[in-house]
Structure formats: structure tokens, C-alpha cells
Amino acid sequence: MILNALAEKLKQRAMGDFKGRHFEAWLIIQAVSWYLRYPLSYRDLESLFAERGFDVDHATINRWVLAYAPMIEKRLRRFRQPHCGSIRVDETYVKIRGEWRYLYRAVDKHGTPVDFLLTAHRDLAAAKRFFRKAMKDQPLLAPGKIGTDGANVYPAAIKDGVDARLLTPTVVHRVTKHLQQVIESDHFRVKQMMPKVGGFRSFATARRTIAGFEAMLWLRKGFGFAGDWTVRRQNELLALCFGLALLQNSAEGRVSPFPGQTHATRCVTGVPR
């Protein structure tokens, strides 16, 4: 009874997510996840689907990515694990319409994702915005240690976080190059998916697409579920976020792909924890 009600709730939301689309929901999510997971172009995906008998134009796949990448990021965000209390903050370059823009990112010392922010400028205002975004998302878990490079904007940005009570007054700021290796290597895992020639065509396109790249990296790293975190299980969680996996399991009389993970089900369906 409860499973049927849950399946119906997910079905209704899935209908809204894919309303007006001319292809089935599973194919759309498959195309978007492939683009965000692997270094493929839109024309590569067009060819892959053509080999499987699906006539999908590369421009259509582009529209799907821009529409669903932010949705994937929003729905996977709630599954992220808390950081360990010692984080690394850094910015990397992203080319948009031939000009360099800046992607602020943070992970903890073990590589667990914290947050990201795409900005037009690399200055104090941008650093402040990033710290506020990252800390407000986890208000009960302020880091005790923050590692950065030698950019002169970070001390003032950290002080702003302390003044806003997003960081504790005892937070330790460390400026050491070797501690930044974990975040610098993590940059590569996101940037290897980005367009190789010319960069993104607009800031809005970059913001939406990068949100999907970051979310797919979260998915690949895992969320602390028991057992081997295979690509198949990753896809099952992604489908569940859009009301697809649980519907199929219910129809076939099987249990959820995440047995015992009631927290995951509550998060996806929006049921209060």
C-alpha cells in the first residue's frame, strides 16, 4: 500500500519533469548522464543513439542537458556526505565565449565534495559569495580548518564568514601548496568533460552544464551507501531521483535498489525527514 502510494507520487512528478518531451524519460536521462559522465560531444551521442535505432538530433540532446543537468544537481545535492571538518578551497579557469571565467570549488582533505560556484570575476566579492553559498548549505557543520593557495582575497573572505556566523572564530586558515594537491587534482576530473575548443557559448550555458558535471562527479564518488558503488547502482539512484526506478521495481514486484535506505527514499520524494 505504502509502496504503491510512493510509486504514484513519483509517477506524478516524473510526468511533470518530462511533460512535452517527444522521447521517453529513460532515454532523456540516459543521454544527459552519458554527456555529463563521459568526455563525449553532442554529435558523439547522436551517433551512439543512431547505432541503437534512435533518431535524436545533437541539438535536442543539448537542450536536454541544459534542462536536466541543474535538476540532477539539485536532487543529488541532498545525498552528499558531510565533510570531515578540514576543507580545501581553490579556483580554476573556465573559458566562456573566448574569455576566462572562474570556477570556485571546495572538497575536504579526503576528496569529499563541499560545493562549487561559477563566477565572472576572481576577486574578494566572488570569494565571499562562494564561502556564503558553501557554508549556508551545511549550517551545522562549519569547517575547523580551511586550506587555500596564496590568493590575498581568502583571509578577508574567511573573516566575512566568521562575521556572518557561518564560520567559527577559531577556524584555522592554512596556506600551503602541498595541501592543495587534492583539490587541484579534483579540478581535472570536472574539466576533462568540458568543451575542448572555444569553451562554452554563454555564461548561463556554462553554469547549467557545470552543475551537471559536478553532480555526476558526486555520484561517481558515492554517497556512503553500503556495498559496491557500481555504475549500475549509480544509474539506479539517478533514475530514482526522477521517479523511474521505483516505478519499475513496483510494477515488477521487486524492492527498491537501495534496500533499507529509507533516508534516500525520503529525500527523493520530498517526504520530511
Side-chain angles (χ1 to χ4, degrees):
M1 189 70 172
I2 296 176
L3 184 59
N4 289 337
L6 183 60
E8 185 61 29
K9 185 180 183 71
L10 289 169
K11 180 180 179 181
Q12 292 175 0
R13 191 176 69 179
M15 290 175 62
D17 289 338
F18 302 97
K19 185 176 181 180
R21 301 293 179 184
H22 299 294
F23 290 86
E24 294 186 32
W26 69 265
L27 190 146
I28 294 174
I29 295 301
Q30 182 71 81
V32 174
S33 66
W34 276 351
Y35 182 79
L36 299 176
R37 185 190 296 273
Y38 305 111
L40 299 170
S41 70
Y42 291 120
R43 292 187 182 275
D44 290 335
L45 290 173
E46 179 181 340
S47 298
L48 286 172
F49 280 111
E51 290 179 5
R52 289 157 175 78
F54 296 99
D55 185 14
V56 186
D57 186 74
H58 64 276
T60 299
I61 300 175
N62 171 243
R63 288 193 292 270
W64 290 347
V65 170
L66 295 181
Y68 292 100
M71 295 172 64
I72 291 174
E73 186 268 338
K74 182 177 180 180
R75 295 180 187 184
L76 289 180
R77 176 174 286 271
R78 62 194 71 186
F79 290 103
R80 292 177 308 151
Q81 293 179 282
H83 60 73
C84 70
S86 179
I87 69 172
R88 310 288 184 259
V89 178
D90 193 29
E91 71 283 343
T92 187
Y93 296 91
V94 177
K95 184 167 285 189
I96 302 175
R97 299 194 68 178
E99 297 184 0
W100 291 113
R101 298 296 182 240
Y102 308 94
L103 178 62
Y104 284 82
R105 305 181 66 247
V107 300
D108 73 9
K109 65 179 182 180
H110 303 299
T112 302
V114 177
D115 217 326
F116 65 94
L117 178 68
L118 181 66
T119 67
H121 304 285
R122 182 174 177 256
D123 55 17
L124 177 58
K128 285 182 178 180
R129 283 169 49 211
F130 174 68
F131 274 104
R132 287 176 177 267
K133 178 177 183 287
M135 297 304 107
K136 282 184 177 180
D137 195 46
Q138 302 187 47
L140 301 179
L141 191 61
K145 300 176 182 178
I146 300 176
T148 70
D149 60 17
N152 58 11
V153 299
Y154 285 122
I158 293 173
K159 183 180 183 301
D160 177 75
V162 172
D163 293 341
R165 297 184 178 181
L166 297 173
L167 296 169
T168 65
T170 59
V171 63
V172 177
H173 178 207
R174 293 180 174 177
V175 181
T176 53
K177 187 172 181 61
H178 76 275
L179 290 179
Q180 294 301 97
Q181 291 178 357
V182 62
I183 180 69
E184 289 174 357
S185 62
D186 203 71
H187 290 332
F188 172 76
R189 300 181 68 179
V190 172
K191 295 185 71 173
Q192 67 177 337
M193 305 300 173
M194 296 183 187
K196 300 299 186 293
V197 180
F200 295 98
R201 294 184 178 181
S202 71
F203 194 90
T205 296
R207 184 177 65 246
R208 286 175 167 267
T209 310
I210 289 173
F213 289 148
E214 293 280 0
M216 196 56 61
L217 182 56
W218 301 346
L219 184 66
R220 290 162 61 188
K221 287 184 175 182
F223 300 106
F225 293 116
D228 294 335
W229 191 238
T230 62
V231 173
R232 181 173 180 177
R233 293 194 71 205
Q234 295 169 30
N235 289 337
E236 287 173 345
L237 178 58
L238 189 60
L240 182 63
C241 287
F242 287 89
L244 304 178
L246 191 57
L247 288 173
Q248 182 179 359
N249 291 333
S250 175
E252 297 178 4
R254 299 201 304 268
V255 297
S256 165
F258 297 92
Q261 295 292 343
T262 56
H263 171 71
T265 304
R266 287 198 299 268
C267 287
V268 172
T269 59
V271 178
R273 302 181 200 176

